[in-house]
Structure formats: C-alpha cells, structure tokens
Amino acid sequence: MSDHIYKHIELTGTSTESLEQAIRNAVKRASKTVRNMRWFEVTDTRGHITEGDVEHWQVTIKVGFTLNE
Amino acid sequence: MSDHIYKHIELTGTSTESLEQAIRNAVKRASKTVRNMRWFEVTDTRGHITEGDVEHWQVTIKVGFTLNE
Amino acid sequence: MSDHIYKHIELTGTSTESLEQAIRNAVKRASKTVRNMRWFEVTDTRGHITEGDVEHWQVTIKVGFTLNE
Amino acid sequence: MSDHIYKHIELTGTSTESLEQAIRNAVKRASKTVRNMRWFEVTDTRGHITEGDVEHWQVTIKVGFTLNE
Amino acid sequence: MSDHIYKHIELTGTSTESLEQAIRNAVKRASKTVRNMRWFEVTDTRGHITEGDVEHWQVTIKVGFTLNE
Amino acid sequence: MSDHIYKHIELTGTSTESLEQAIRNAVKRASKTVRNMRWFEVTDTRGHITEGDVEHWQVTIKVGFTLNE
Amino acid sequence: MSDHIYKHIELTGTSTESLEQAIRNAVKRASKTVRNMRWFEVTDTRGHITEGDVEHWQVTIKVGFTLNE
Amino acid sequence: MSDHIYKHIELTGTSTESLEQAIRNAVKRASKTVRNMRWFEVTDTRGHITEGDVEHWQVTIKVGFTLNE
Amino acid sequence: MSDHIYKHIELTGTSTESLEQAIRNAVKRASKTVRNMRWFEVTDTRGHITEGDVEHWQVTIKVGFTLNE
Amino acid sequence: MSDHIYKHIELTGTSTESLEQAIRNAVKRASKTVRNMRWFEVTDTRGHITEGDVEHWQVTIKVGFTLNE
Amino acid sequence: MSDHIYKHIELTGTSTESLEQAIRNAVKRASKTVRNMRWFEVTDTRGHITEGDVEHWQVTIKVGFTLNE
Amino acid sequence: MSDHIYKHIELTGTSTESLEQAIRNAVKRASKTVRNMRWFEVTDTRGHITEGDVEHWQVTIKVGFTLNE
C-alpha cells in the first residue's frame, strides 16, 4: 500500500431509520461517481426534530479513496 | 427563516437499547417544556459498563429551538 | 466514590452489524483481562468500504476502570 | 467584580444585512427576558445560500450575564 | 441510572481565595434555583490582575443535573 | 429533506472591502460550476497587511450543496 | 520567500463600529512599533453588552511579521 | 536525555480536599506499580456535587515515564 | 492577490523514505489534474508498522489552488 | 474600554506549593517589565514527578495587557 | 479485518538525527514487549534546544496493535 | 527547576531542504536576540508549491525560554 495516493471528500447522508443507514446512504450515492472508496470517518452527527421527536438523522463523513495511477 | 432567533440547550439522554434511543429519550423529555425544537447535534457519546458489558448508552446533544416572537 | 483512582485505556472494536456492536465487541474482549471497567467514551467513529458499501464499522473508545487498592 | 457569579446561554441570530446585525438581533431578542447581559463570544458563523448568493447570515454567540444576588 | 435525562448549564464563579472556592461559589449560587445537580466539568480558568498580582480567580464550569420526571 | 445527500467543498474568498464581501465573492465564483448550494460555515478568517493597514480580507468557508439524484 | 523567518504576536483590537474596524485598530496600533507585518489570523471574536445592545466589538488576531536579517 | 523512550498512561485521581490532592492521589497510587514517572499533564478537571456543594474533586492526568532499557 | 478565489482539496501521500517524500508524492500526483496549486498544510501524520519497524509514512495535507477566472 | 488595544504574552510559572502559587509567580515575575496587565487565561497545567510524588506544579497562562497610547 | 480488536498505547521517541528516527526509536523499543503493532499516529512534535540549536527531536505517537484472540 | 519562569514566543522558519532544517533556521535566527531557549513545540506545518512540486517547507514552532532572574 506504500505507493498509493488517497483523496478525501466530505459528504452528509440522511435517514429516517438510523445513524448507520444515514452513513450507508451517503456512501451508496457517492459510489455512483467515485470509485475505489476505502474508508470513512464520522465528523459530525446531527438530526432534525419535528413535533418533539427525531424526524431524520444526518451524519457527515469524510471518505478516502485511491487515486487511479 | 432569516429573522429567526434560536436558543440552544444541552441535554444527555440514556437508553439500554441503542444510541438512537438515548437521543430520542432526551428529545422527548425536553419536548414537555420546550417548544419549537428544530435540530440537535451530538457533542459526546458515552456509556456505563457492568460486568464486562455495556449496561446503558449515554448521548449528549445540543438542541436548537426557535424563540417565540 | 471519593477515594477511587481510575485508569483509562483506549480500544478499537469492529463489527459488520452496527456501531453499538463494535463498542460491545471491544468491551467484551477487554473484560478478559481488565476488571472493574466502569464507563467508556467514544473518541473516533470510522469504517471500511468495499464495493461501494460499508463493510464493517470501527469505533474507538476510551475505557475507565477502578484500580484495585 | 470578584464576588459575581455569571451564567452563559447560547443563541443564534440571523440577518440579511451583516454579521454584526445578526449578533445584534440575538442580543436584542434575549434582552426581553434576560437582564444584566455583559459580554458575548462568537462560537459559529454560518449562512444560507439561495440562487448562488448569500441569502442571510447566521451567527451563534455565547452570552454571559450576572446572576442576581 | 439508565433512564435518567440530564440538562447542563454553564456558570462562572469568582473568588479572591482559590480555584476551588471559585467553583464552590458558582455551585452554591446555582443551588438556590437548580435542584439535583450531580457533577461539573471545568471548561475555562481565568483571573483578573491588579497591580502585578492576581486579584481574583474566575472558573467556568458546565454543571449537569437530573431533570425531574 | 430526509433523503438528501450533501457534499461539502472548501473555498477561500478575498475582498478589499469587508468580511461579508469576501464570503460573497467565494460563493458567487463557485456558483458558476456548482449548483444547489445550500449553506456555508466559516472555518478561518485571515487577511494581508500592507504598510501597517489591512490590504484585503480572506475568509475560508465550507459550502454544502445537494447532490443531484 | 523561502529564507524568511516570521514571528507572531497576539493582539486584541476594539471598536464601537464593526468587526473589521476592531481588527484595523489593532493592526494600526501595532504598526507604531512593529515593522514588516504581513498577515493576521482571527483567533477570537467577542464583544461587550450594555443595556441590551452591543456596546463595542473585540477581535483577537495573531499577526505575523518578517524578522529583519 | 536524547536516547530515552517514554510511555504515557492516563489516570483519574479523586480527593475531597483540593485539586492538587486529587492529582497527588493518582500519582501515589500509580507509583506502586510504575517506576520512573517524570511528569504529568492535566487533561480534564471535574467533580461530584451532593446537596448543592462540591463533594469531591476528580482530576484526569496523562503521566509520562521512562521505559527501562 | 485580493481578487483571487481559492479551493482546497485534501490528499494523503505515502512513502517508504521520509515525511517530506510522502508530501511530495501527494503534490506530484495531484499536479496531473489540478493546476495552480499554491500551498499545503499538514493535517495528519501517520504510518504503517511491519515486524516492529515503520514500513511506510502517510501524510495527509490540505492543498489550496487558485480557481481560474 | 472601547478604544483599548491589548497584547497577549504566554508564560509558565512554577511552584512547589500549589497551582495558584505557580500562576502568581508567573504574574509577579512579568510585572517587573510589563505594565498594565489585566487578566490571564490558563492554557496548560503540568507538573514534575520525583520519587512517586509531585515535586513542583507548572502552569502556563496567556496574559493580556493594555498597550500604552 | 472486521472481527479484530485493537489497543492503543502512547509513546515518545527521541533522536538527535531526525523526526523519522525519533519515531523509529519509539516503535523499535516498543516491539520488545508489544506484538502485532499495525500503525501509528503523530500526536505531538517537540524538541530540546541547547546553545541556540536543536539538540534532539522528540515525537509522541499513538500506536495501535491487534489484541490476541 | 521549580522556581523558574518561562516565556514562550511563536516563530515560523522556512527551508527548501527539510522540515527539520526549517525548524533549525527559526531557532538559529531567534538565538541572535533571545537567550536561554530550552524547548520548542511544532504548532503548524505548511509549505509553498511551485509548478507542481514543494518549493519550500514552512514550520511554525512555539519556543520556551527561561526569564533571567
């Protein structure tokens, strides 16, 4: 792995179900245009509230992917 | 939305089930006295351990709500 | 509790299921050699991506335990 | 000043004009219910974008005020 | 403790004597109106200087208390 | 808003006039190639000095925009 | 520029007008004794409140200047 | 000192007396099993509250010690 | 320089030789597709270990470049 | 106070007695050459350990003073 | 890799030669007692000065290693 | 060492060769006017890019020195 170069992008995914699903939604949407994604790191966890309950979860992640040679 | 003023409060919710439920418990309890809550941001995620396993989850959130005119 | 001394260790647990299970895996493995664990705090939440989806979750926690007198 | 106790609250003010006006709006709204406010500290500066331009400014401040004896 | 909800407030206490007394002054003043305070965390330690010596100590704490059911 | 995915980019705008204009310049330039920008957050405020006065302001912002479905 | 050495100093400027003027006041005062100032970075933005309105702005900056050979 | 290797451990000491005594209690307990401790750094200062007063102080320190050759 | 707009990207370079070479590898790879790069800032320094020795260095940098008018 | 300009310096004081005395020692030493010191903020609290006990306390403070007109 | 549990330790290595050699010295010394080390992260870079020149480099790293099943 | 008072200054050194040389250049230049420098801590690592390669390294350090009695 020692000669690889990685680039990072930051995304926010949302879900009405769970924190994990919010992250999965962001990763899946990004995979339409970005290849070789390898890892993510959570940088912010938020959510929206409607009528006194959590309406949806909102997780921001930094994603790293290998740059093609 | 440009003329709104928001106030923030910080709460910790607990749950034996999941991180999401700990947040929901805090939001629901606050909704008894605070109206117009709009969003939250997680600022700390902790838990208590009993006999080598997680006994309950403990999530601290900052909640923003609109001040009535 | 006022005369207790605590020590902290930092662990990373992984799981293909959920963030909660990744934390539980780290706590359970540590309980084989560390006694009197009392609480944990999440310090980092990451994951690995394979073929455009999250392959496993990876959560780093700081664990506090009481030092035996 | 050595015997005073202060309490802090966190507010977000908004304005279509300027960063300074967003802060002033938050302070003026709070002064309807909070007395003896003494200082503020900016903790976050954000804004909303509409059609490629800044639509309004959004500044979060921590405000300190003296607790009545 | 797993079903409790906590709220946090931020206070600054002052004292001409010591850091510990500045914290105690803030806690005692808050106890006049807030019940069920459980813990505090120091977030800022400052002081005022007069004629080349420390005139008083000023400690900011975040205090957590249980919300009544 | 619960099914949206957002991407963030980081920009620095400059202006000889004001902090607000430096932000506006960055947002306007980005709007030539990025659509659906929704909000920004200031992450750094700097400036250059010439002959003992501020020559221009330099503000770095993180901008969030909706990814097209 | 590769052989230059820079030194940094930290200043707080105040103004009843605006954030920009508070920074300009600090830079102008420093230019009486410091030469070759090149840039600044804002590290803290505060203000004082009198009778429910902002009385003056207070901005802390780190200033870099070239050390004479 | 240039060939030494140091290891760090993190401890929390408690005391009903003072912040200094809480630190001393942690250092003394650790000295039963760790040799060659050289310095500490405070990373967190907390305390527990009972009946509106500080019941005990709780200080977390990072301790560095020389690894035996 | 007062009318320029900059964009930032984040990259990780690796090298078996040195920290400097890891940064150079990231900058050189990026220069194949990004023009007008002006500066970088190190945000993370890591490495991989094999058989008790550093196998390669891994440095993450934020790179700023001028947006074409 | 609205036309004042402040400068900050950073000092570390030491004491074998207490955290408060370490701060006082730094302020008193600085007062030999710096006039018009107004406040300080603690930025680091450390200490040296000898034979399993704290040998002296070491507190780093940022001190603000008014620049003469 | 999804079922692994990692533990982290923090070390400081020193060298009169270079930053890289200071890190290598810490990793090599740790490998005498710790097996399965996988990666490190730099958390602090310091050095000692003698007679106006750097006498040795001092780098603090957090090291992660796999816990044996 | 328990009665010493230290002052800190912040410097940026540059070098076309290496990170270590950039730090050495800052320390050597400062030693012309500052005596009794004891240690440094790296607070920022940056560099300038020309034609797709690193043109020079730029390291900011905080330097501590003993104040003369």
Side-chain angles (χ1 to χ4, degrees):
Chain A
M1 185 156 60
S2 67
D3 292 338
H4 287 170
I5 306 296
Y6 304 90
K7 187 175 176 183
H8 308 163
I9 54 174
E10 200 178 62
L11 302 167
T12 300
T14 57
S15 164
T16 56
E17 284 175 58
S18 66
L19 299 171
E20 285 89 344
Q21 194 57 43
I23 295 171
R24 284 210 141 103
N25 287 347
V27 170
K28 282 178 185 164
R29 173 61 184 79
S31 72
K32 292 182 183 174
T33 54
V34 180
R35 298 212 288 185
N36 300 316
M37 290 188 292
R38 299 297 173 88
W39 84 87
F40 68 87
E41 177 184 3
V42 172
T43 59
D44 210 16
T45 304
R46 295 172 178 256
H48 278 251
I49 300 171
T50 307
E51 295 177 19
D53 198 358
V54 178
E55 197 257 332
H56 66 264
W57 311 91
Q58 204 171 35
V59 186
T60 301
I61 55 174
K62 195 180 283 190
V63 179
F65 57 95
T66 320
L67 284 179
N68 296 320
E69 296 306 302
Chain B
M1 187 154 58
S2 67
D3 292 338
H4 287 170
I5 307 295
Y6 304 91
K7 188 175 175 181
H8 309 163
I9 53 173
E10 200 179 63
L11 302 167
T12 300
T14 56
S15 164
T16 55
E17 282 175 59
S18 67
L19 299 171
E20 284 88 345
Q21 194 56 43
I23 294 171
R24 285 210 141 103
N25 287 347
V27 170
K28 283 177 183 165
R29 172 63 185 79
S31 72
K32 292 182 183 173
T33 54
V34 180
R35 296 213 291 186
N36 300 316
M37 291 188 291
R38 299 298 174 87
W39 83 88
F40 69 86
E41 176 185 3
V42 173
T43 59
D44 210 18
T45 304
R46 294 172 178 256
H48 278 251
I49 300 172
T50 307
E51 296 177 18
D53 197 0
V54 178
E55 197 258 332
H56 67 263
W57 311 90
Q58 206 171 33
V59 185
T60 301
I61 56 174
K62 195 179 281 189
V63 179
F65 57 95
T66 320
L67 285 178
N68 296 321
E69 294 308 300
Chain C
M1 187 155 56
S2 66
D3 293 339
H4 286 171
I5 307 296
Y6 304 91
K7 187 175 173 181
H8 309 163
I9 54 173
E10 200 178 63
L11 303 167
T12 300
T14 57
S15 163
T16 55
E17 283 175 57
S18 67
L19 299 171
E20 286 88 345
Q21 194 57 43
I23 295 172
R24 284 208 140 106
N25 287 347
V27 170
K28 283 177 184 166
R29 173 62 184 79
S31 72
K32 292 181 184 176
T33 54
V34 180
R35 297 210 290 184
N36 300 315
M37 290 187 292
R38 299 299 174 86
W39 84 88
F40 69 86
E41 177 185 4
V42 173
T43 59
D44 210 17
T45 304
R46 294 172 178 255
H48 278 252
I49 301 172
T50 307
E51 295 179 17
D53 198 359
V54 178
E55 197 258 333
H56 67 263
W57 312 90
Q58 205 172 34
V59 184
T60 300
I61 56 175
K62 196 180 282 189
V63 178
F65 57 96
T66 320
L67 284 179
N68 297 320
E69 295 307 302
Chain D
M1 187 156 57
S2 67
D3 294 337
H4 286 170
I5 307 295
Y6 304 90
K7 187 175 174 183
H8 308 165
I9 53 173
E10 199 177 64
L11 302 167
T12 300
T14 56
S15 164
T16 54
E17 281 175 59
S18 67
L19 299 172
E20 285 89 345
Q21 194 56 42
I23 295 171
R24 286 209 139 105
N25 287 348
V27 170
K28 282 178 183 164
R29 174 60 185 80
S31 73
K32 291 182 184 175
T33 54
V34 180
R35 296 213 290 186
N36 300 316
M37 290 187 292
R38 297 301 173 84
W39 84 88
F40 69 87
E41 177 185 1
V42 173
T43 59
D44 210 17
T45 304
R46 294 173 179 256
H48 278 250
I49 300 172
T50 307
E51 295 178 18
D53 198 359
V54 178
E55 197 259 333
H56 67 262
W57 312 90
Q58 205 171 33
V59 186
T60 300
I61 56 174
K62 195 179 283 190
V63 179
F65 58 95
T66 319
L67 284 178
N68 296 321
E69 296 306 301
Chain E
M1 187 156 56
S2 66
D3 293 338
H4 286 170
I5 307 296
Y6 304 91
K7 187 176 175 183
H8 308 163
I9 53 174
E10 200 178 64
L11 302 167
T12 300
T14 56
S15 164
T16 55
E17 283 175 59
S18 67
L19 299 171
E20 285 89 345
Q21 194 56 45
I23 294 171
R24 285 209 140 103
N25 287 348
V27 170
K28 282 178 183 163
R29 173 61 185 79
S31 72
K32 292 182 183 174
T33 54
V34 180
R35 297 211 291 185
N36 300 316
M37 290 187 291
R38 298 298 173 87
W39 83 87
F40 69 86
E41 177 185 3
V42 173
T43 58
D44 209 16
T45 304
R46 294 171 179 257
H48 278 252
I49 300 171
T50 307
E51 295 177 19
D53 198 359
V54 178
E55 198 258 333
H56 67 264
W57 311 90
Q58 205 172 33
V59 185
T60 300
I61 56 175
K62 195 180 283 191
V63 179
F65 58 94
T66 319
L67 284 179
N68 296 320
E69 297 305 304
Chain F
M1 186 155 57
S2 67
D3 293 337
H4 286 170
I5 307 296
Y6 304 90
K7 187 176 175 183
H8 308 163
I9 53 173
E10 200 178 64
L11 303 167
T12 300
T14 57
S15 164
T16 56
E17 281 175 60
S18 67
L19 298 170
E20 285 89 344
Q21 194 56 43
I23 295 171
R24 284 209 141 103
N25 287 347
V27 170
K28 283 177 183 166
R29 173 62 185 78
S31 72
K32 291 182 184 176
T33 53
V34 180
R35 297 212 289 185
N36 300 315
M37 290 188 291
R38 297 300 172 87
W39 83 88
F40 68 87
E41 177 185 5
V42 173
T43 59
D44 209 18
T45 304
R46 295 172 178 257
H48 279 251
I49 301 171
T50 308
E51 295 178 18
D53 198 358
V54 178
E55 198 257 333
H56 67 263
W57 311 90
Q58 205 171 34
V59 185
T60 301
I61 56 175
K62 195 180 283 190
V63 179
F65 58 95
T66 319
L67 283 179
N68 295 321
E69 296 307 301
Chain G
M1 187 156 55
S2 66
D3 293 338
H4 286 170
I5 307 295
Y6 304 90
K7 187 176 175 183
H8 308 163
I9 54 175
E10 199 177 64
L11 303 166
T12 300
T14 56
S15 163
T16 55
E17 283 175 59
S18 67
L19 299 171
E20 285 89 344
Q21 193 57 42
I23 294 170
R24 285 211 140 102
N25 287 348
V27 170
K28 283 178 183 163
R29 174 62 185 79
S31 72
K32 291 182 183 175
T33 54
V34 179
R35 297 213 288 186
N36 300 317
M37 290 188 293
R38 297 301 173 86
W39 83 88
F40 69 87
E41 177 185 2
V42 172
T43 58
D44 209 17
T45 304
R46 294 172 178 257
H48 278 251
I49 301 171
T50 307
E51 296 178 18
D53 197 359
V54 178
E55 198 257 333
H56 67 264
W57 312 90
Q58 205 170 34
V59 185
T60 301
I61 55 175
K62 195 179 282 190
V63 179
F65 57 95
T66 320
L67 284 179
N68 296 320
E69 296 307 302
Chain H
M1 187 154 58
S2 66
D3 293 338
H4 286 171
I5 306 297
Y6 304 91
K7 188 175 175 183
H8 309 162
I9 53 174
E10 199 178 63
L11 303 167
T12 300
T14 56
S15 163
T16 55
E17 283 175 57
S18 66
L19 299 172
E20 285 89 345
Q21 194 57 43
I23 295 171
R24 285 210 141 104
N25 287 348
V27 170
K28 282 177 184 166
R29 173 61 185 80
S31 73
K32 292 182 184 176
T33 53
V34 180
R35 297 212 290 184
N36 300 315
M37 290 188 291
R38 298 299 173 86
W39 84 87
F40 69 87
E41 177 184 3
V42 172
T43 59
D44 210 17
T45 303
R46 294 172 178 256
H48 279 251
I49 301 172
T50 307
E51 295 178 18
D53 198 359
V54 178
E55 198 258 333
H56 67 262
W57 311 90
Q58 206 172 32
V59 185
T60 300
I61 56 174
K62 195 180 281 190
V63 179
F65 57 96
T66 319
L67 284 179
N68 296 321
E69 295 308 302
Chain I
M1 186 155 57
S2 66
D3 293 338
H4 286 171
I5 307 296
Y6 304 91
K7 187 176 175 182
H8 308 163
I9 53 174
E10 200 178 63
L11 302 168
T12 300
T14 56
S15 163
T16 55
E17 282 175 58
S18 67
L19 299 170
E20 285 89 344
Q21 194 57 42
I23 295 171
R24 284 209 140 105
N25 286 347
V27 170
K28 282 178 183 163
R29 173 62 184 79
S31 73
K32 292 182 183 175
T33 54
V34 180
R35 296 213 289 186
N36 300 316
M37 290 188 291
R38 297 301 173 87
W39 83 87
F40 69 87
E41 178 185 1
V42 173
T43 59
D44 209 17
T45 304
R46 295 172 178 256
H48 278 252
I49 300 173
T50 307
E51 296 178 17
D53 197 0
V54 178
E55 197 257 333
H56 67 262
W57 312 90
Q58 205 170 34
V59 185
T60 300
I61 55 175
K62 196 180 280 189
V63 178
F65 57 94
T66 319
L67 285 179
N68 297 321
E69 296 307 301
Chain J
M1 187 155 58
S2 67
D3 293 338
H4 286 171
I5 306 296
Y6 304 90
K7 187 176 176 182
H8 308 164
I9 53 174
E10 199 178 64
L11 302 167
T12 300
T14 57
S15 163
T16 55
E17 283 175 58
S18 67
L19 298 171
E20 285 88 345
Q21 194 57 43
I23 295 171
R24 284 210 141 104
N25 287 348
V27 170
K28 282 178 184 164
R29 173 62 184 79
S31 73
K32 292 183 183 174
T33 53
V34 180
R35 298 212 290 184
N36 300 316
M37 291 187 292
R38 298 299 173 86
W39 85 88
F40 70 86
E41 178 186 2
V42 172
T43 58
D44 209 17
T45 304
R46 293 171 179 257
H48 279 250
I49 300 172
T50 308
E51 296 177 18
D53 198 359
V54 177
E55 198 257 334
H56 67 263
W57 310 90
Q58 204 172 33
V59 186
T60 301
I61 56 175
K62 196 180 281 191
V63 179
F65 58 94
T66 319
L67 284 179
N68 296 320
E69 296 307 301
Chain K
M1 185 154 60
S2 66
D3 292 339
H4 286 171
I5 307 295
Y6 304 90
K7 188 176 175 182
H8 309 163
I9 53 173
E10 199 178 65
L11 303 167
T12 301
T14 56
S15 163
T16 55
E17 281 175 59
S18 67
L19 299 171
E20 284 89 345
Q21 193 57 43
I23 295 171
R24 286 209 139 105
N25 287 347
V27 170
K28 283 178 184 165
R29 173 62 184 80
S31 72
K32 292 182 184 174
T33 54
V34 180
R35 296 211 290 184
N36 299 316
M37 291 188 291
R38 299 300 174 85
W39 84 86
F40 68 87
E41 177 185 3
V42 173
T43 58
D44 209 18
T45 303
R46 293 172 179 257
H48 278 252
I49 300 172
T50 308
E51 295 179 18
D53 198 359
V54 178
E55 197 259 333
H56 67 263
W57 312 90
Q58 205 171 34
V59 185
T60 300
I61 55 174
K62 195 180 283 190
V63 179
F65 58 95
T66 319
L67 283 178
N68 296 320
E69 295 307 301
Chain L
M1 186 154 58
S2 66
D3 293 338
H4 286 171
I5 306 297
Y6 304 90
K7 187 176 176 182
H8 309 163
I9 54 174
E10 199 177 65
L11 302 166
T12 301
T14 56
S15 164
T16 55
E17 282 175 58
S18 67
L19 299 171
E20 285 89 343
Q21 194 57 44
I23 294 171
R24 284 209 140 103
N25 287 348
V27 170
K28 283 179 183 163
R29 174 60 185 80
S31 73
K32 291 182 183 174
T33 54
V34 179
R35 297 211 290 185
N36 300 315
M37 290 188 292
R38 297 300 173 87
W39 84 87
F40 69 86
E41 178 186 3
V42 172
T43 58
D44 210 15
T45 304
R46 293 172 179 257
H48 278 251
I49 299 171
T50 307
E51 296 178 17
D53 197 0
V54 178
E55 197 257 333
H56 67 263
W57 312 90
Q58 205 171 34
V59 186
T60 300
I61 55 175
K62 195 179 283 190
V63 179
F65 57 94
T66 320
L67 284 179
N68 296 320
E69 296 306 301

